[in-house]
Amino acid sequence: METDKKHIVKEVWVNACRFLLAAVFIFSGFVKAVDPLGSFYKIQDYLTAFGLISHFPSLLIMFLAIMLSVAEFCVGIYMFFGIRRKIASTLALLLLVVMTPLTLYLALANPVSDCGCFGDAWVLTNWQTFAKNVVLLVAAVVVFRFREQLIRFITLQMEWLVSLYTLFFVCVLSLYCLENLPILDFRPYKIGTNIKQAMEVPEGAKQSVFETTFVMEKDGRRQEFALEDYPDSTWTFVETRTLLKEKGYEPPIHDFSMVSLESGEDITDSVLTAEGYTFLLVAHRIEAADDSNIDLINEIYDYSVEHGYGFLALTSSSEKEIDLWRDKTGAEYPFCQMDDITLKTVIRSNPGLLLIKAGTILNKWSDSQLPDEYVLTAGLDKLELGQLKHVSKWETVGNTLLWFFLPLTLVIGIDIFVIKRREKLGGKIKQAPRTAKPVVPQEPQAKKP
């Protein structure tokens, strides 16, 4: 009796650890899958902090970013259903054995501000991340040691289908969000956000003090200038740097600053308070931007000029790179310079396009989704894309989960009503006692005369 009680307690403990791991890995893998470029940028930050960025080509970093989301999501689903127990428990333990000491180092040395384990959906400090990983590491050790105690929800005959579909789903989700835009936007520049209002600090709140400097070059010599000391046109722009000198209340958006390339003036306020429509072409590094849709971008610029709308290109690239872009594409639109990290946060596409009005983001498009002449048939006030795009986070989550769980529901139904029922009937047949066949007496046959 005592042995049975201990066995039940151990089984409950092991499966509690299993569901904890499943929940964390599913959430972590999902939010990374919907924003693969965010994971890409975070891995770049890690490699830069460790001085290894030159050894990793961008394509390899992107592959690692996608594979990390795939691994975490699959481990979570496998844990939840109790399938592929050896693979799931081993991979979970391996990930946490690597990440726990790494996050301890991040907490002590602070080379990056946060680990990015949950993307922008839930930002933890480095010490919070380390504490979380310690708890998960204990759970992973328990599950790995007693993985045979995991309660299985899917039979062996059907687990291959669930595991294969899970792998297919998360890969397609990552590639779709990479080609287009994240289906869920956890960043402060989501559609419907008023940028100017998101930059405001409540009355009485302590304000942060930032210092923006411009790195300029002249005769092979580089020098930093403050905004009020911006030099004349004989200097060539290299990059901008925004430093936090004193931390106070931090509004959701605190580093949005547009400096006109032509005049050298900060035009942020005038753009965000303009009552008309303004297109913002965002290319955080213009030299690395995709130029396959240049003709379409130029057509949108011509459309904006025809209807009296604003059009600005935002980049962190140097004036030299901008001139090369103009020569290559025939671009006639004006450029502004902004912080590179800010531009990466604004939109996950290089280039990408925003439509704003009175500082409110009405719509966003990736390079592969730009509106064409068949859509821009009238003024924006008469078109659907000129209105605030309706985006419901919960509706998007529900539709995505429906795409995932609806096929799985069919598989689970087959598993329960066909496979398990067949196994149950087979077990009953095997357990049924065999009875001897009754002997039927035969009448003696009459002898032939």
Side-chain angles (χ1 to χ4, degrees), residues 115-129:
C115 76
C117 50
F118 298 132
D120 292 303
W122 186 13
V123 179
L124 302 177
T125 66
N126 287 331
W127 279 112
Q128 289 172 338
T129 303

Side-chain angles (χ1 to χ4, degrees), residues 99-101 103-105 107 125-135:
M99 294 304 297
T100 303
T103 50
L104 175 60
Y105 170 77
T125 66
N126 287 331
W127 279 112
Q128 289 172 338
T129 303
F130 172 67
K132 180 248 322 173
N133 284 347
V134 169
V135 174

Side-chain angles (χ1 to χ4, degrees), residues 394-437:
W394 294 113
E395 182 179 338
T396 303
V397 171
N399 291 335
T400 306
L401 294 179
L402 186 66
W403 276 104
F404 180 66
F405 283 109
L406 192 60
L408 283 187
T409 303
L410 178 62
V411 173
I412 293 171
I414 295 174
D415 190 62
I416 293 175
F417 295 108
V418 178
I419 305 297
K420 288 183 178 179
R421 187 176 182 184
R422 186 183 299 167
E423 289 179 351
K424 189 175 181 181
L425 290 174
K428 286 183 177 180
I429 292 173
K430 289 181 180 179
Q431 293 175 4
R434 292 185 177 181
T435 56
K437 293 182 178 181

Side-chain angles (χ1 to χ4, degrees), residues 225-231:
F225 294 90
L227 179 60
E228 58 271 16
D229 299 324
Y230 198 87

Side-chain angles (χ1 to χ4, degrees), residues 220-277:
R221 179 172 61 92
R222 291 192 177 187
Q223 186 174 336
E224 293 186 3
F225 294 90
L227 179 60
E228 58 271 16
D229 299 324
Y230 198 87
D232 55 38
S233 58
T234 60
W235 289 81
T236 302
F237 174 85
V238 178
E239 63 177 341
T240 60
R241 295 174 182 170
T242 302
L243 299 176
L244 176 64
K245 298 191 69 176
E246 185 179 346
K247 187 173 179 60
Y249 170 81
E250 187 172 277
I253 297 176
H254 53 269
D255 48 8
F256 191 87
S257 176
M258 296 182 288
V259 177
S260 171
L261 183 66
E262 285 74 18
S263 64
E265 298 178 357
D266 189 319
I267 61 172
T268 307
D269 192 63
S270 61
V271 172
L272 297 183
T273 55
E275 291 298 325
Y277 293 99

Side-chain angles (χ1 to χ4, degrees), residues 135-353:
V135 174
L136 294 180
L137 180 60
V138 173
V141 171
V142 172
V143 172
F144 179 80
R145 175 67 179 82
F146 304 106
R147 57 179 176 268
E148 297 303 324
Q149 300 288 331
L150 301 182
I151 299 173
R152 176 186 290 275
F153 293 154
I154 300 292
T155 61
L156 280 169
Q157 291 90 330
M158 297 298 287
E159 78 167 14
W160 69 270
L161 189 56
V162 174
S163 59
L164 189 62
Y165 177 70
T166 301
L167 180 64
F168 170 78
F169 172 84
V170 69
C171 286
V172 169
L173 179 62
S174 292
L175 294 175
Y176 175 84
C177 293
L178 180 62
E179 176 66 18
N180 301 286
L181 291 176
I183 58 174
L184 292 170
D185 194 348
F186 300 107
R187 291 154 292 141
Y189 297 93
K190 60 179 68 68
I191 293 174
T193 298
N194 184 284
I195 300 175
K196 187 173 178 59
Q197 292 177 3
M199 294 170 63
E200 295 175 353
V201 177
E203 186 177 352
K206 181 181 177 181
Q207 296 190 8
S208 297
V209 178
F210 294 93
E211 183 179 67
T212 300
T213 58
F214 300 86
V215 180
M216 311 294 289
E217 186 174 8
K218 181 178 181 180
D219 299 331
R221 179 172 61 92
R222 291 192 177 187
Q223 186 174 336
E224 293 186 3
F225 294 90
L227 179 60
E228 58 271 16
D229 299 324
Y230 198 87
D232 55 38
S233 58
T234 60
W235 289 81
T236 302
F237 174 85
V238 178
E239 63 177 341
T240 60
R241 295 174 182 170
T242 302
L243 299 176
L244 176 64
K245 298 191 69 176
E246 185 179 346
K247 187 173 179 60
Y249 170 81
E250 187 172 277
I253 297 176
H254 53 269
D255 48 8
F256 191 87
S257 176
M258 296 182 288
V259 177
S260 171
L261 183 66
E262 285 74 18
S263 64
E265 298 178 357
D266 189 319
I267 61 172
T268 307
D269 192 63
S270 61
V271 172
L272 297 183
T273 55
E275 291 298 325
Y277 293 99
T278 301
F279 286 101
L280 298 179
L281 179 68
V282 179
H284 69 93
R285 299 301 298 180
I286 200 74
E287 63 272 19
D290 185 356
D291 59 359
S292 59
N293 287 314
I294 286 306
D295 292 338
L296 187 52
I297 292 174
N298 290 336
E299 288 176 7
I300 296 173
Y301 171 66
D302 293 338
Y303 167 84
S304 67
V305 171
E306 180 184 349
H307 289 80
Y309 306 140
F311 191 107
L312 293 170
L314 311 179
T315 184
S316 64
S317 297
S318 67
E319 190 173 348
K320 179 181 177 181
E321 297 295 345
I322 293 173
D323 289 338
L324 290 174
W325 175 265
R326 283 172 168 164
D327 292 339
K328 181 172 64 173
T329 65
E332 298 178 353
Y333 36 82
F335 275 82
C336 290
Q337 276 148 340
M338 286 188 66
D339 180 71
D340 185 64
I341 295 177
T342 301
L343 294 175
K344 290 178 182 177
T345 309
V346 169
I347 191 168
R348 299 296 202 215
S349 182
N350 189 31
L353 188 68

